[in-house]
Amino acid sequence: MNIKKDMHIHSCFSDGDLRPETIVDRWESAGHKLIAITDHDGIEGSIIACKYAETKSINVIPGIEFDSEDDLGKDLHILGYHIDFDNPRLQSALFELKRWRAQRNDEMLEILSDLGYEISIDDLIAVNDGNYIGKPTFARVLIDKGYVKDLNEAFNEVFDKEPRLNSVTKKTLRSHEVIEIIHAAGGTAVLAHPIQQKRKGETDEEFFPRLVQLLDLFRLYGIDGIECEHPSASAEEALALKNYAEKYKLTVT
């Protein structure tokens, strides 16, 4: 029997809006039996949700979503499930990622101030109590202060058009390292939304051979599964991903 589940949810501890407790209650009310909070490069939201759900009818499994890069692409997101939150290698990696993010945020804040945008660290912390600060946080502050009207304008007209901001790159782990870290923490590694690797203007004839090459490489790295059902994938694309996963006995999420 199929159960209602959602294995890719972001809380206010990354780029989501809701508290982990609210997510648990809302998804439980909607009839979900299994969920995972998979915040970007952090486990705080997942820890809270797992603890909170102990007395609930819904099962929450430990989760995370790492960003990564490889010679075949950037922004290769890898989901980790059933991870041991206390694993030393995982904790060490998360500490480094937080340090890199803080450095990047400081650089962006300084550049925005130089450009005339009156934004302070207190403004950024106020967005979600400082649980997470990234580009979406900066964008929300720009909206609140009336500099831009929405997220699209913040990214297209400020971040993407200003060379100095564009030069502030996000430092991430290598893809094979992320898979090793997830496995070291006793977890299952799943490649997230692979269809999002399609480049602007790229045809299906160009993209799919490149996608297969990427999936083949990730199998060599030891990936355990593929996120096939995702809003970025059409029904046909999801089916193609499932067929690939089934062929190589990979988990489908």
Side-chain angles (χ1 to χ4, degrees), residues 52-116:
Y52 181 72
E54 287 178 355
T55 58
K56 303 284 184 176
S57 64
I58 189 171
N59 184 25
V60 180
I61 65 170
I64 189 171
E65 182 176 10
F66 281 102
D67 194 356
S68 76
E69 63 178 319
D70 188 84
D71 293 341
L72 293 184
K74 295 190 180 229
D75 289 323
L76 291 159
H77 291 194
I78 302 173
L79 297 155
Y81 298 115
H82 298 289
I83 51 174
D84 174 10
F85 292 134
D86 298 320
N87 178 264
R89 188 167 180 190
L90 174 67
Q91 288 288 337
S92 177
L94 294 177
F95 178 82
E96 276 297 283
L97 289 169
K98 284 183 179 179
R99 186 172 67 83
W100 292 341
R101 185 182 293 276
Q103 290 173 344
R104 178 179 181 237
N105 289 338
D106 287 344
E107 289 181 51
M108 289 182 58
L109 189 60
E110 183 177 346
I111 293 169
L112 285 168
S113 296
D114 288 345
L115 293 170

Coordinates of all heavy atoms in Angstrom, one line a residue, residues 52-116:
Y52 N 10.3 16.6 17.8 CA 8.9 17.1 17.9 C 7.9 16.0 17.5 O 6.8 15.8 18.1 CB 8.6 18.3 17.1 CG 7.2 18.9 17.2 CD1 6.8 19.5 18.4 CD2 6.4 18.8 16.1 CE1 5.5 20.0 18.5 CE2 5.1 19.3 16.2 CZ 4.7 20.0 17.4 OH 3.4 20.5 17.5
A53 N 8.3 15.2 16.5 CA 7.4 14.2 15.9 C 7.3 12.9 16.7 O 6.6 12.0 16.4 CB 7.8 13.9 14.5
E54 N 8.1 12.8 17.8 CA 8.2 11.5 18.5 C 6.8 11.1 19.1 O 6.6 9.9 19.3 CB 9.2 11.7 19.7 CG 10.7 11.6 19.2 CD 11.7 11.8 20.3 OE1 11.2 12.0 21.4 OE2 12.9 11.7 20.0
T55 N 6.0 12.1 19.4 CA 4.6 11.8 20.0 C 3.5 11.9 18.9 O 2.4 11.9 19.3 CB 4.4 12.7 21.2 OG1 4.4 14.0 20.7 CG2 5.4 12.5 22.3
K56 N 3.9 12.0 17.6 CA 2.9 12.2 16.6 C 2.7 10.9 15.8 O 3.5 10.0 15.9 CB 3.4 13.3 15.6 CG 3.7 14.6 16.3 CD 2.5 15.4 16.6 CE 2.7 16.7 17.2 NZ 1.5 17.5 17.4
S57 N 1.7 10.9 14.9 CA 1.4 9.8 14.1 C 2.3 9.8 12.8 O 2.3 8.8 12.1 CB 0.0 9.7 13.7 OG -0.4 10.9 12.9
I58 N 2.9 10.9 12.6 CA 3.8 11.0 11.4 C 5.2 10.7 11.7 O 5.7 11.0 12.8 CB 3.7 12.5 10.8 CG1 4.4 12.6 9.5 CG2 4.3 13.5 11.8 CD1 4.1 14.0 8.8
N59 N 5.9 10.0 10.8 CA 7.3 9.6 10.9 C 8.2 10.6 10.2 O 8.0 10.9 9.0 CB 7.5 8.2 10.4 CG 8.9 7.7 10.7 OD1 9.6 8.2 11.6 ND2 9.4 6.8 9.8
V60 N 9.1 11.2 11.0 CA 10.1 12.2 10.4 C 11.5 11.6 10.4 O 11.9 11.2 11.5 CB 10.1 13.5 11.1 CG1 11.1 14.5 10.5 CG2 8.7 14.1 11.2
I61 N 12.1 11.4 9.3 CA 13.4 10.8 9.2 C 14.5 11.9 9.1 O 14.2 13.0 8.5 CB 13.6 9.8 8.1 CG1 13.5 10.5 6.7 CG2 12.6 8.7 8.2 CD1 13.8 9.6 5.6
P62 N 15.6 11.7 9.7 CA 16.7 12.8 9.6 C 17.1 13.0 8.2 O 17.3 12.1 7.4 CB 17.9 12.1 10.4 CG 17.2 11.1 11.3 CD 16.0 10.6 10.5
G63 N 17.2 14.3 7.8 CA 17.6 14.6 6.5 C 18.4 15.9 6.3 O 18.5 16.7 7.2
I64 N 18.9 16.1 5.1 CA 19.7 17.3 4.8 C 19.8 17.4 3.2 O 19.6 16.4 2.6 CB 21.2 17.2 5.4 CG1 21.9 18.5 5.2 CG2 21.9 16.0 4.7 CD1 23.2 18.6 5.9
E65 N 20.1 18.6 2.7 CA 20.3 18.7 1.3 C 21.6 19.5 1.2 O 21.7 20.7 1.5 CB 19.2 19.5 0.6 CG 19.5 19.6 -0.9 CD 18.3 20.3 -1.7 OE1 17.4 20.8 -1.0 OE2 18.4 20.3 -2.9
F66 N 22.7 18.8 0.7 CA 24.0 19.4 0.5 C 24.0 20.0 -1.0 O 23.5 19.4 -1.9 CB 25.1 18.4 0.5 CG 25.5 18.0 1.9 CD1 25.1 16.8 2.5 CD2 26.4 18.9 2.7 CE1 25.5 16.5 3.8 CE2 26.8 18.5 3.9 CZ 26.4 17.3 4.5
D67 N 24.6 21.2 -1.1 CA 25.0 21.6 -2.4 C 26.4 21.1 -2.7 O 27.2 20.8 -1.7 CB 25.1 23.2 -2.5 CG 25.1 23.7 -3.9 OD1 25.2 22.9 -4.8 OD2 25.1 24.9 -4.1
S68 N 26.7 20.9 -4.0 CA 28.0 20.3 -4.3 C 28.4 20.7 -5.7 O 27.6 21.3 -6.5 CB 28.1 18.8 -4.2 OG 27.4 18.2 -5.3
E69 N 29.6 20.5 -6.1 CA 30.1 20.7 -7.5 C 31.0 19.6 -7.9 O 31.6 18.9 -7.1 CB 30.8 22.1 -7.6 CG 32.0 22.2 -6.8 CD 32.7 23.5 -7.0 OE1 32.7 24.0 -8.2 OE2 33.2 24.1 -6.0
D70 N 31.0 19.5 -9.3 CA 31.8 18.4 -9.9 C 32.3 19.0 -11.2 O 31.8 20.0 -11.7 CB 31.0 17.2 -10.1 CG 31.8 16.0 -10.5 OD1 32.4 15.3 -9.7 OD2 31.9 15.7 -11.8
D71 N 33.3 18.3 -11.8 CA 33.7 18.7 -13.1 C 32.6 18.8 -14.2 O 32.7 19.5 -15.1 CB 34.8 17.8 -13.7 CG 36.1 17.9 -12.8 OD1 36.2 18.9 -12.1 OD2 36.9 17.0 -12.9
L72 N 31.5 18.0 -14.0 CA 30.4 18.0 -14.9 C 29.3 19.0 -14.6 O 28.3 19.0 -15.3 CB 29.8 16.6 -15.0 CG 30.7 15.5 -15.6 CD1 30.0 14.1 -15.6 CD2 31.2 15.9 -16.9
G73 N 29.5 19.7 -13.5 CA 28.4 20.7 -13.2 C 28.5 21.3 -11.8 O 29.2 20.8 -10.9
K74 N 27.8 22.4 -11.6 CA 27.7 23.0 -10.3 C 26.3 22.9 -9.8 O 25.4 22.5 -10.5 CB 28.1 24.5 -10.4 CG 29.6 24.7 -10.8 CD 30.0 26.1 -10.6 CE 31.5 26.3 -11.0 NZ 32.3 27.0 -10.1
D75 N 26.1 23.4 -8.6 CA 24.8 23.3 -7.9 C 24.2 21.9 -8.1 O 23.0 21.7 -8.4 CB 23.8 24.3 -8.5 CG 24.2 25.7 -8.1 OD1 24.6 25.9 -7.0 OD2 24.1 26.7 -8.9
L76 N 25.0 20.9 -7.8 CA 24.5 19.5 -7.8 C 24.1 19.2 -6.4 O 25.0 19.0 -5.5 CB 25.7 18.6 -8.3 CG 26.0 18.7 -9.8 CD1 27.4 18.2 -10.1 CD2 25.0 18.0 -10.6
H77 N 22.8 19.2 -6.2 CA 22.3 19.0 -4.8 C 22.2 17.5 -4.5 O 21.7 16.7 -5.3 CB 21.0 19.7 -4.7 CG 21.1 21.2 -4.7 ND1 20.1 22.1 -4.3 CD2 22.2 22.0 -5.1 CE1 20.5 23.3 -4.4 NE2 21.8 23.3 -4.9
I78 N 22.6 17.1 -3.3 CA 22.5 15.7 -2.9 C 21.8 15.7 -1.6 O 22.2 16.3 -0.6 CB 24.0 15.2 -2.8 CG1 24.7 15.3 -4.1 CG2 23.9 13.7 -2.3 CD1 26.2 14.9 -4.0
L79 N 20.7 14.9 -1.5 CA 19.9 14.7 -0.3 C 20.5 13.5 0.5 O 21.0 12.5 -0.1 CB 18.5 14.3 -0.7 CG 17.8 15.4 -1.5 CD1 16.6 14.8 -2.3 CD2 17.2 16.5 -0.5
G80 N 20.6 13.7 1.8 CA 21.0 12.7 2.7 C 19.9 12.3 3.7 O 19.3 13.2 4.3
Y81 N 19.6 11.0 3.7 CA 18.5 10.5 4.6 C 19.0 9.5 5.6 O 20.0 8.9 5.4 CB 17.4 9.8 3.8 CG 16.8 10.7 2.7 CD1 16.9 10.5 1.4 CD2 16.0 11.8 3.1 CE1 16.3 11.3 0.4 CE2 15.3 12.6 2.2 CZ 15.5 12.3 0.9 OH 14.9 13.1 -0.1
H82 N 18.4 9.5 6.8 CA 18.7 8.6 7.9 C 20.1 8.8 8.4 O 20.8 7.9 8.7 CB 18.6 7.1 7.4 CG 17.2 6.7 7.0 ND1 16.2 6.6 8.0 CD2 16.6 6.5 5.8 CE1 15.0 6.3 7.4 NE2 15.3 6.2 6.1
I83 N 20.6 10.1 8.4 CA 21.9 10.4 8.8 C 22.0 10.5 10.3 O 21.0 10.8 11.0 CB 22.4 11.7 8.2 CG1 21.3 12.8 8.5 CG2 22.7 11.6 6.7 CD1 21.8 14.2 8.1
D84 N 23.2 10.1 10.9 CA 23.4 10.3 12.3 C 23.9 11.7 12.5 O 24.9 12.2 12.1 CB 24.5 9.3 12.7 CG 25.0 9.5 14.1 OD1 24.3 10.3 14.9 OD2 26.0 8.9 14.5
F85 N 23.0 12.5 13.2 CA 23.3 13.9 13.4 C 24.6 14.2 14.1 O 25.3 15.2 13.9 CB 22.2 14.6 14.2 CG 20.8 14.7 13.5 CD1 19.7 14.3 14.2 CD2 20.7 15.1 12.2 CE1 18.4 14.4 13.6 CE2 19.5 15.2 11.6 CZ 18.4 14.9 12.3
D86 N 25.0 13.2 15.0 CA 26.2 13.4 15.8 C 27.5 12.9 15.1 O 28.6 13.0 15.8 CB 26.0 12.7 17.1 CG 24.9 13.3 17.9 OD1 24.7 14.6 17.9 OD2 24.1 12.6 18.6
N87 N 27.4 12.4 13.9 CA 28.6 11.9 13.3 C 29.7 12.9 13.2 O 29.4 14.0 12.7 CB 28.2 11.3 11.9 CG 29.4 10.8 11.2 OD1 30.0 11.5 10.4 ND2 29.8 9.5 11.4
P88 N 30.9 12.6 13.6 CA 32.0 13.6 13.6 C 32.3 14.2 12.2 O 32.6 15.4 12.1 CB 33.2 12.9 14.2 CG 32.6 11.8 15.0 CD 31.3 11.4 14.3
R89 N 32.3 13.3 11.2 CA 32.7 13.8 9.9 C 31.6 14.7 9.3 O 31.9 15.8 8.7 CB 32.9 12.7 8.9 CG 33.4 13.1 7.6 CD 33.9 12.0 6.7 NE 34.4 12.6 5.4 CZ 34.8 11.8 4.4 NH1 34.7 10.5 4.5 NH2 35.2 12.4 3.3
L90 N 30.3 14.4 9.6 CA 29.2 15.3 9.2 C 29.3 16.6 9.9 O 29.2 17.7 9.3 CB 27.9 14.6 9.5 CG 26.6 15.4 9.3 CD1 26.4 15.7 7.8 CD2 25.4 14.7 9.9
Q91 N 29.5 16.6 11.3 CA 29.6 17.8 12.0 C 30.8 18.7 11.5 O 30.6 19.9 11.5 CB 29.8 17.5 13.5 CG 28.6 16.9 14.2 CD 27.5 18.0 14.4 OE1 27.8 19.1 14.5 NE2 26.3 17.5 14.6
S92 N 31.9 18.1 11.2 CA 33.0 18.8 10.7 C 32.7 19.5 9.4 O 33.1 20.7 9.2 CB 34.3 17.9 10.5 OG 35.4 18.6 10.0
A93 N 32.0 18.8 8.5 CA 31.7 19.4 7.2 C 30.7 20.5 7.4 O 30.8 21.6 6.7 CB 31.1 18.3 6.3
L94 N 29.7 20.4 8.2 CA 28.7 21.4 8.5 C 29.4 22.7 9.0 O 29.0 23.8 8.7 CB 27.6 20.9 9.4 CG 26.7 19.8 8.8 CD1 25.7 19.3 9.8 CD2 26.0 20.3 7.5
F95 N 30.3 22.5 9.9 CA 31.1 23.6 10.5 C 31.8 24.4 9.4 O 31.7 25.6 9.4 CB 32.1 23.1 11.5 CG 32.9 24.2 12.2 CD1 32.4 25.0 13.2 CD2 34.2 24.5 11.7 CE1 33.1 26.1 13.7 CE2 34.9 25.6 12.2 CZ 34.4 26.3 13.3
E96 N 32.4 23.7 8.5 CA 33.1 24.4 7.4 C 32.2 25.1 6.5 O 32.4 26.2 6.1 CB 33.9 23.4 6.6 CG 35.3 23.0 7.1 CD 36.2 24.2 7.1 OE1 36.7 24.6 6.0 OE2 36.4 24.8 8.2
L97 N 31.0 24.5 6.2 CA 30.0 25.1 5.3 C 29.5 26.4 6.0 O 29.3 27.4 5.3 CB 28.9 24.1 5.0 CG 29.3 23.0 4.1 CD1 28.2 21.9 4.1 CD2 29.6 23.5 2.7
K98 N 29.3 26.4 7.3 CA 28.8 27.6 7.9 C 29.8 28.7 7.9 O 29.5 29.9 7.7 CB 28.4 27.2 9.4 CG 27.1 26.5 9.6 CD 26.8 26.3 11.0 CE 25.5 25.5 11.2 NZ 25.1 25.3 12.6
R99 N 31.1 28.3 8.1 CA 32.1 29.3 8.0 C 32.2 29.9 6.6 O 32.4 31.1 6.5 CB 33.5 28.6 8.4 CG 34.6 29.6 8.6 CD 35.8 28.9 9.1 NE 36.4 27.9 8.2 CZ 37.2 28.2 7.2 NH1 37.6 29.4 7.0 NH2 37.7 27.2 6.5
W100 N 32.1 29.1 5.6 CA 32.2 29.6 4.2 C 31.0 30.5 3.9 O 31.2 31.6 3.3 CB 32.2 28.5 3.2 CG 33.4 27.6 3.2 CD1 34.7 28.0 3.8 CD2 33.6 26.3 2.7 NE1 35.5 26.9 3.6 CE2 34.9 25.9 3.0 CE3 32.7 25.4 2.1 CZ2 35.4 24.7 2.6 CZ3 33.2 24.2 1.7 CH2 34.6 23.8 1.9
R101 N 29.8 30.1 4.4 CA 28.6 30.9 4.2 C 28.7 32.3 4.9 O 28.4 33.3 4.3 CB 27.4 30.2 4.6 CG 26.1 30.9 4.3 CD 24.9 30.2 4.8 NE 24.7 28.9 4.1 CZ 24.1 28.8 3.0 NH1 23.6 29.9 2.4 NH2 23.9 27.6 2.4
A102 N 29.3 32.3 6.1 CA 29.4 33.5 6.8 C 30.4 34.5 6.1 O 30.1 35.7 6.1 CB 29.9 33.3 8.3
Q103 N 31.5 34.0 5.6 CA 32.4 34.8 4.9 C 31.8 35.4 3.6 O 31.9 36.6 3.3 CB 33.6 34.0 4.5 CG 34.5 33.6 5.6 CD 35.6 32.6 5.2 OE1 35.6 32.0 4.1 NE2 36.6 32.5 6.1
R104 N 31.0 34.6 2.9 CA 30.3 35.1 1.7 C 29.3 36.1 2.1 O 29.2 37.2 1.4 CB 29.6 33.9 1.0 CG 28.8 34.2 -0.2 CD 28.2 33.0 -0.8 NE 27.5 33.2 -2.0 CZ 26.2 32.8 -2.2 NH1 25.5 32.3 -1.2 NH2 25.6 33.1 -3.3
N105 N 28.5 35.9 3.1 CA 27.5 36.9 3.5 C 28.2 38.2 3.9 O 27.6 39.3 3.6 CB 26.7 36.4 4.7 CG 25.8 35.2 4.3 OD1 25.4 35.1 3.2 ND2 25.4 34.4 5.3
D106 N 29.3 38.2 4.6 CA 30.0 39.4 5.0 C 30.4 40.2 3.7 O 30.3 41.4 3.6 CB 31.2 39.1 5.8 CG 30.9 38.7 7.2 OD1 29.7 38.9 7.6 OD2 31.8 38.1 7.9
E107 N 31.0 39.5 2.7 CA 31.4 40.1 1.4 C 30.2 40.7 0.7 O 30.3 41.9 0.3 CB 32.0 39.1 0.5 CG 33.4 38.6 0.9 CD 34.0 37.6 -0.1 OE1 34.0 37.9 -1.3 OE2 34.4 36.5 0.4
M108 N 29.1 40.0 0.7 CA 27.9 40.6 0.0 C 27.3 41.8 0.7 O 26.9 42.8 0.1 CB 26.8 39.5 -0.1 CG 27.1 38.4 -1.1 SD 25.8 37.1 -1.2 CE 24.5 38.1 -1.7
L109 N 27.3 41.7 2.0 CA 26.8 42.9 2.8 C 27.7 44.1 2.6 O 27.1 45.2 2.4 CB 26.8 42.5 4.3 CG 26.2 43.5 5.3 CD1 24.7 43.6 4.9 CD2 26.3 43.0 6.7
E110 N 29.0 43.9 2.5 CA 29.9 45.1 2.3 C 29.7 45.7 0.9 O 29.6 46.9 0.7 CB 31.3 44.6 2.5 CG 32.3 45.7 2.3 CD 33.8 45.3 2.6 OE1 34.0 44.1 3.1 OE2 34.7 46.0 2.2
I111 N 29.5 44.8 -0.1 CA 29.3 45.3 -1.5 C 28.0 46.0 -1.6 O 27.9 47.1 -2.2 CB 29.4 44.1 -2.5 CG1 30.8 43.5 -2.5 CG2 29.0 44.6 -3.9 CD1 30.9 42.2 -3.3
L112 N 26.9 45.4 -1.0 CA 25.6 46.1 -1.1 C 25.7 47.5 -0.4 O 25.1 48.4 -0.9 CB 24.6 45.2 -0.5 CG 24.1 44.0 -1.3 CD1 23.3 43.0 -0.5 CD2 23.3 44.4 -2.5
S113 N 26.4 47.6 0.7 CA 26.5 48.8 1.4 C 27.2 49.8 0.5 O 26.8 51.0 0.4 CB 27.2 48.7 2.7 OG 26.4 47.8 3.6
D114 N 28.3 49.4 -0.2 CA 29.0 50.3 -1.1 C 28.2 50.8 -2.2 O 28.4 51.9 -2.7 CB 30.3 49.6 -1.6 CG 31.4 49.3 -0.6 OD1 31.3 50.0 0.5 OD2 32.3 48.5 -0.8
L115 N 27.2 49.9 -2.6 CA 26.4 50.3 -3.8 C 25.2 51.2 -3.3 O 24.4 51.6 -4.2 CB 25.8 49.0 -4.4 CG 26.8 48.1 -5.1 CD1 26.2 46.8 -5.5 CD2 27.4 48.9 -6.4
G116 N 25.1 51.5 -2.0 CA 24.0 52.4 -1.6 C 22.8 51.7 -1.0 O 21.9 52.4 -0.6

